[in-house]
Amino acid sequence: GCMAQLHFFVTLVCTEYVLLAVMACDRFLAICKPLRYPLIMRHKFCAQLVAGCWMCGLTTSSIKLSFIARLSFCDVDKINHYFCDISPLLNISCSDSSLAELADFILALLVIMVPLCIVVASYVCILITVLKIPSSQGRQKAFSTCSSHLTVVILFYSTTLFTYSRPKLMYTYRANKLVSVLYTVVVPLLNPLIYCLRNKEVRFAIRRTFTCR
């Protein structure tokens, strides 16, 4: 049961990393290459990108679990965390976990840093393009296009990097539990709100709900 929970968790988190990078590329094309955007971002290509995100998540999760499942846990049936995460499992393992830690580190580095580099590069190009727009209204419109995605990126990456970029010896369970609640509960709950508030119809419906007597 713990391995199944860990599989779904790692799959969804890794898929989210890659998906945020793909969305950054989408914003880059929409702002920096607006005339070519309809030709590139067709429905078929979008479906392929989404499938690729899920494949990256599933592949990463399968590799990580293949190493962790080989560990021995000496009949320990409790972990000091509120769900089955990788670090708590490695800490209670009574067998040599160096290979599993190395595999986890390399995969985490690839899954976190590669999409993060893509996001940063995309937004650097977007910023350069937006600053060249002569009118302030045009710049504001371009920035508003990226605001929701950038907000989610900052929330998701800051919390997960805080959790998974620290050495194992500096691992503090209390702080990690608190941050884990942020990126597993709070950020997913905020996602619909952050993205939907850019929709005029949603904003109008919310305003009408709270102003009606």
Side-chain angles (χ1 to χ4, degrees):
C2 185
M3 290 296 108
Q5 186 184 77
L6 183 62
H7 172 71
F8 284 111
F9 169 73
V10 175
T11 299
L12 293 172
V13 170
C14 293
T15 302
E16 178 79 0
Y17 278 122
V18 183
L19 187 59
L20 288 173
V22 170
M23 292 174 69
C25 294
D26 175 77
R27 295 300 85 203
F28 163 76
L29 288 173
I31 295 174
C32 301
K33 308 288 182 181
L35 297 179
R36 298 182 62 186
Y37 182 84
L39 297 175
I40 298 173
M41 299 302 292
R42 296 180 180 274
H43 291 296
K44 183 179 179 180
F45 185 57
C46 290
Q48 291 172 344
L49 288 174
V50 173
C53 293
W54 280 105
M55 284 301 298
C56 288
L58 287 167
T59 303
T60 304
S61 177
S62 299
I63 295 173
K64 284 192 175 190
L65 261 72
S66 67
F67 285 92
I68 294 175
R70 298 174 186 173
L71 301 177
S72 300
F73 297 101
C74 303
D75 297 325
V76 178
D77 58 352
K78 291 182 180 180
I79 60 172
N80 191 7
H81 207 37
Y82 79 96
F83 70 96
C84 284
D85 202 357
I86 293 173
S87 295
L89 286 174
L90 292 176
N91 283 333
I92 65 171
S93 173
C94 57
S95 58
D96 183 18
S97 61
S98 57
L99 189 60
E101 289 179 34
L102 179 63
D104 177 61
F105 175 76
I106 293 173
L107 289 171
L109 193 67
L110 290 173
V111 172
I112 295 176
M113 297 310 298
V114 172
L116 182 60
C117 290
I118 293 173
V119 170
V120 171
S122 298
Y123 274 103
V124 167
C125 295
I126 289 171
L127 182 61
I128 293 172
T129 302
V130 169
L131 292 177
K132 292 179 181 178
I133 298 175
S135 65
S136 59
Q137 186 178 1
R139 289 194 296 269
Q140 185 178 359
K141 184 179 180 180
F143 277 126
S144 67
T145 305
C146 306
S147 59
S148 57
H149 174 257
L150 194 57
T151 303
V152 174
V153 166
I154 292 171
L155 287 172
F156 187 73
Y157 271 92
S158 60
T159 51
T160 51
L161 281 173
F162 176 82
T163 303
Y164 296 108
S165 64
R166 292 172 298 158
K168 186 179 177 182
L169 293 176
M170 296 177 63
Y171 188 89
T172 55
Y173 284 109
R174 185 173 297 179
N176 190 71
K177 287 178 187 178
L178 180 61
V179 177
S180 296
V181 171
L182 290 177
Y183 70 81
T184 57
V185 179
V186 178
V187 174
L189 287 175
L190 288 176
N191 278 354
L193 185 64
I194 293 170
Y195 287 121
C196 290
L197 283 179
R198 292 190 62 251
N199 189 300
K200 292 181 179 179
E201 293 179 357
V202 173
R203 290 202 301 268
F204 176 74
I206 293 174
R207 194 180 302 114
R208 186 174 60 182
T209 300
F210 286 103
T211 56
C212 65
R213 297 179 180 178

